[in-house]
Amino acid sequence: MKRSAPPAGSISPPLVKRKIESTTTNRAVASFFKPASQKEPEKVVWRTIDNSLIIGRYDASNPSPQQRTLPVKIAAFDLDDTLLVPNQGKTWSRSATSWKWWDASVPGKLKSLHDEGYLVVILSNQSTISLRDNKKSLQKDMASLTNFKSQLSSVLSQLDFPISVYAATGQDKYRKPRVGMWEAVLEDYDLQAEGAVDLRKSFYVGDAAGREKTDKKRKDHATSDRDLAANIGIKFQTPDEYFLNAPTEPYDHVFEPGKYLRSTQAAEPTTNAAAASTVSAPFTKDSKQDMVVFCGSPGAGKSTFFWDVLQPLGYERVNQDILKTRDKCIKKARELLEAGLSVAIDNTNANIETRSKWVTLAHEFNVPIRCVRFTASTRLAEHNDAARALNPSIMNPENRTQLPGIAFRSFLQRLQEPTLDEGFQDIYKVDFEFKGTDEQKKLWSRYWVSKFST
């Protein structure tokens, strides 16, 4: 059966002419067709340093006159949750319109600081932006950078006075609480000379202050803003204290490097795993050939102890960071024992199962096996690791890279305290004691960890 022909005319509904609203402004169109020589120059000049630090410098069209003389007063601020908050909800979305001032008083206070002769700068950690050459995430990384610049251009334009923003994108010397961004400010404004900055009148405002949770606010995510100010040697305030004149909240640092420099700690030999008293006594080598097994967190001072104490006594070092696998470490230790040498196992050796491999090997060669337990906490060890890795020319002779936080968490999760029942002749405990030059001491006493992993 043939299908009947359709009726004359269209059976579809008539077309409706809709007016599509353009999102392009007349100003944008005019700017597009305007010759480059006639366009108004961008007010924010952007540049990057070391594929890590983003710097944006805003120059106002008609800046108000400013009387700034040496020494210069610097007013430094964090960005997120200090100057800005999302304009909808609590989730950050970078764009020119996705923000609002943390408080209505913020822009007025910042402008007043400029008028009073302060150099006003923004120092912000921005780990969601990556400047590294990663083909897999290139499109996403470029979008993050573009959106950040768009938002900051909008923020700085509203302030409309000379101001600079510094954004640390990596886990390096620029990331707060490290002073890399501050040092970049001093270099950019030619303030590196002694006394060029009035530290007594300068200050830093930020929300990463280590405050505990209350009924009105959540717990701070870190202490990096407070620690940055301490590293620089300037006053610190939270946004509530600075913008709202809230009373200063008491605070005690959860980790204070200085206390390890004020106390003298020594090593102790023990034949009782429960012994805890500290007795000054040097490590001695009592047998012609033996094995020493270290137990301690990464960054606890194990390698330093080997070079300072065991190497002069004739021990050979076996280290998994160098040999990469446990099997290769066992093979190397076996070769050294076969040659009649004493061996130090410079690994973390956190649990009984790992240490049993060395006990078995020592018994195979009929040599005594001893344990050296490094008691430094994981936070102290993480501090050591960061200070070492971020000062390669001064504190890092083996050129070690900074370890990820999981290395310290993993050690703590696996840790089983060594006991004599495992087969050790003795257990020698080593508490942390800083040793170094005055320059190294000054660097080590700073805060280096942005957020502890344990």
Side-chain angles (χ1 to χ4, degrees):
M1 181 178 176
K2 292 185 177 180
R3 182 180 297 173
S4 58
S10 174
I11 60 173
S12 300
L15 294 173
V16 177
K17 294 183 178 180
R18 293 183 175 89
K19 183 178 180 181
I20 300 177
E21 297 290 341
S22 173
T23 58
T24 305
T25 64
N26 291 334
R27 183 178 179 181
V29 173
S31 176
F32 180 82
F33 289 103
K34 184 180 293 186
S37 60
Q38 298 179 19
K39 288 183 179 180
E40 184 178 343
E42 290 290 334
K43 291 185 177 180
V44 184
V45 178
W46 296 98
R47 61 189 175 95
T48 61
I49 297 177
D50 299 333
N51 283 332
S52 175
L53 180 63
I54 302 169
I55 302 175
R57 188 161 179 168
Y58 180 89
D59 291 314
S61 301
N62 298 297
S64 57
Q66 186 189 47
Q67 301 297 322
R68 185 188 298 162
T69 58
L70 293 179
V72 171
K73 301 173 295 183
I74 299 179
F77 294 84
D78 181 36
L79 180 65
D80 302 334
D81 295 314
T82 296
L83 300 182
L84 315 179
V85 290
N87 59 7
Q88 291 185 349
K90 297 181 180 180
T91 304
W92 279 102
S93 176
R94 300 290 181 194
S95 76
T97 59
S98 63
W99 63 278
K100 62 182 179 181
W101 295 113
W102 182 85
D103 183 76
S105 65
V106 170
K109 284 213 170 189
L110 297 185
K111 290 177 182 177
S112 294
L113 287 168
H114 171 74
D115 294 341
E116 292 168 14
Y118 276 86
L119 171 60
V120 183
V121 295
I122 299 171
L123 310 178
S124 175
N125 287 345
Q126 294 291 330
S127 57
T128 59
I129 302 172
S130 175
L131 301 180
R132 303 298 178 186
D133 187 10
N134 187 339
K135 293 182 180 179
K136 292 183 179 180
S137 61
L138 180 60
Q139 186 173 358
K140 179 182 177 181
D141 293 341
M142 291 300 293
S144 297
L145 177 59
T146 299
N147 293 340
F148 176 78
K149 288 182 177 180
S150 177
Q151 184 177 80
L152 267 294
S153 293
S154 173
V155 171
L156 302 184
S157 294
Q158 284 203 24
L159 293 173
D160 198 29
F161 64 81
I163 182 174
S164 293
V165 57
Y166 296 76
T169 66
Q171 302 291 330
D172 52 20
K173 66 179 182 179
Y174 297 112
R175 185 171 183 81
K176 296 179 294 186
R178 301 146 202 168
V179 297
M181 283 195 284
W182 175 265
E183 290 173 345
V185 172
L186 302 187
E187 181 177 355
D188 286 351
Y189 289 90
D190 195 21
L191 298 173
Q192 295 171 296
E194 185 74 25
V197 175
D198 189 337
L199 295 177
R200 187 175 59 85
K201 293 183 179 179
S202 298
F203 60 88
Y204 184 78
V205 178
D207 69 299
R211 295 166 294 177
E212 294 297 325
K213 181 180 178 181
T214 67
D215 295 337
K216 297 181 179 180
K217 64 178 179 65
R218 63 182 184 273
K219 181 179 179 179
D220 287 345
H221 64 281
T223 62
S224 52
D225 288 332
R226 187 186 296 275
D227 293 345
L228 172 65
N231 282 343
I232 297 169
I234 59 178
K235 181 181 178 180
F236 172 79
Q237 288 185 288
T238 65
D240 309 75
E241 292 164 0
Y242 182 74
F243 292 113
L244 305 181
N245 295 316
T248 301
E249 299 182 44
Y251 177 78
D252 290 322
H253 274 95
V254 293
F255 176 78
E256 177 59 68
K259 80 174 186 179
Y260 294 96
L261 300 176
R262 291 191 293 268
S263 62
T264 300
Q265 304 186 64
E268 54 149 337
T270 81
T271 54
N272 181 344
S277 61
T278 300
V279 180
S280 178
F283 183 95
T284 58
K285 189 175 188 298
D286 301 323
S287 303
K288 181 179 179 181
Q289 184 185 25
D290 63 0
M291 179 186 291
V292 173
V293 175
F294 291 172
C295 175
S297 170
K302 300 185 298 297
S303 295
T304 299
F305 183 81
F306 172 81
W307 295 116
D308 289 352
V309 178
L310 298 193
Q311 196 267 351
L313 293 175
Y315 286 88
E316 296 293 328
R317 181 184 182 217
V318 174
N319 178 263
Q320 192 163 317
D321 290 340
I322 297 172
L323 298 176
K324 304 305 180 185
T325 68
R326 184 197 295 174
D327 288 344
K328 289 183 179 180
C329 288
I330 293 175
K331 179 182 178 182
K332 181 65 175 178
R334 182 183 297 277
E335 292 172 354
L336 293 169
L337 290 171
E338 287 174 346
L341 300 170
S342 293
V343 181
I345 311 302
D346 181 7
N347 301 332
T348 59
N349 298 308
N351 54 29
I352 295 172
E353 187 275 332
T354 301
R355 295 191 293 265
S356 69
K357 305 293 184 182
W358 304 115
V359 173
T360 299
L361 185 61
H363 289 173
E364 179 183 332
F365 283 86
N366 196 30
V367 298
I369 181 168
R370 309 169 70 183
C371 180
V372 176
R373 172 70 170 103
F374 295 83
T375 63
S377 69
T378 50
R379 287 196 172 185
L380 173 56
E382 197 167 356
H383 172 86
N384 280 339
D385 175 71
R388 174 180 63 192
L390 293 165
N391 295 281
S393 63
I394 300 174
M395 302 179 69
N396 194 2
E398 294 184 331
N399 198 29
R400 296 192 183 190
T401 57
Q402 187 175 357
L403 293 171
I406 192 173
F408 303 94
R409 290 196 302 273
S410 174
F411 173 80
L412 201 58
Q413 292 165 357
R414 294 182 292 112
L415 177 62
Q416 294 173 300
E417 286 294 341
T419 67
L420 297 178
D421 292 339
E422 296 177 48
F424 296 118
Q425 175 180 289
D426 59 14
I427 298 172
Y428 188 88
K429 291 189 177 182
V430 177
D431 295 328
F432 174 80
E433 181 181 3
F434 178 84
K435 294 179 180 179
T437 65
D438 288 343
E439 181 183 17
Q440 291 170 332
K441 182 177 180 179
K442 182 179 179 180
L443 287 171
W444 191 90
S445 64
R446 292 176 178 173
Y447 299 97
W448 288 97
V449 180
S450 178
K451 185 177 181 180
F452 285 103
S453 61
T454 59

